[in-house]
Amino acid sequence: MKKYTVGDCVRQGFLAGRHFFVFVVDGGIDHNAPIEKIRDYLKEEILSNVQKGYKFESVVWSNKFKGFLVQVQKPMDF
């Protein structure tokens, strides 16, 4: 199974004491599926493979990338 890391992201940054990154999930689920089905798919299949320490923040469909943009974040101490 694919590991989702910062190296695979399409965008990353620091904001308000946290580091975030966004990656594309481009298969496995229809973007017109009910949100509950999308949530369950992400929870069971994707989020367990996100780089250690990062937690789910948001998900949106992207026509540009033809997939879901999933944003995860981790608190950062400076």
Side-chain angles (χ1 to χ4, degrees):
M1 169 125 330
K2 178 178 177 164
K3 248 340 200 185
Y4 295 93
T5 66
V6 174
D8 301 317
C9 73
V10 293
R11 181 174 50 138
Q12 69 172 312
F14 295 93
L15 180 66
R18 63 186 176 85
H19 178 253
F20 68 90
F21 73 93
V22 178
F23 58 89
V24 179
V25 175
D26 58 0
I29 190 151
D30 176 18
H31 73 279
N32 291 319
I35 192 64
E36 293 83 6
K37 187 173 181 180
I38 295 167
R39 178 203 59 207
D40 292 344
Y41 175 77
L42 289 174
K43 199 167 161 183
E44 295 166 10
E45 303 293 328
I46 305 300
L47 295 178
S48 61
N49 293 306
V50 171
Q51 188 170 331
K52 187 176 179 180
Y54 287 84
K55 296 190 183 323
F56 173 79
E57 186 169 319
S58 66
V59 62
V60 295
W61 174 257
S62 169
N63 287 326
K64 177 181 177 181
F65 291 102
K66 302 288 190 248
F68 288 100
L69 297 179
V70 178
Q71 182 166 319
V72 294
Q73 60 92 21
K74 171 171 94 169
M76 299 293 290
D77 293 325
F78 288 98

